[in-house]
Amino acid sequence: MEKSEIRNKIAERIKQLRHEQNITQERFASMAGVNRTYLADIEKGNRNFGIDTLTRIISGFGISYAEFFADI
């Protein structure tokens, strides 16, 4: 699997979880402690991000890494 494929799968997972919880990008960005436009770029697969950012996003959903990656 290429890096861009992994990034796109993570992006889709973030978007899926956010939609399941009926949370706007703006609200979730605030909950996760990231900039909204940065989150939007991540969800589109247009942005590289570090493990610290991914940790904030996963924590924002209140789930574990295992739960986040279960469907990827």
Side-chain angles (χ1 to χ4, degrees):
M1 192 178 299
E2 293 183 28
K3 290 179 188 178
S4 61
E5 284 182 78
I6 295 168
R7 186 175 58 235
N8 288 336
K9 286 182 181 283
I10 290 171
E12 283 300 315
R13 181 70 170 142
I14 292 168
K15 195 182 313 183
Q16 171 197 10
L17 288 168
R18 193 173 56 73
H19 286 161
E20 284 175 4
Q21 295 182 17
N22 199 28
I23 303 171
T24 65
Q25 275 185 344
E26 188 170 337
R27 182 167 169 240
F28 184 71
S30 178
M31 291 166 56
V34 297
N35 182 282
R36 192 210 53 84
T37 56
Y38 184 54
L39 177 64
D41 284 343
I42 290 171
E43 284 189 359
K44 292 176 192 170
N46 294 337
R47 193 76 115 128
N48 287 322
F49 49 88
I51 194 75
D52 292 338
T53 300
L54 184 57
T55 298
R56 282 189 295 229
I57 290 170
I58 292 171
S59 294
F61 287 118
I63 61 175
S64 69
Y65 266 86
E67 290 169 306
F68 181 83
F69 285 104
D71 295 331
I72 293 181

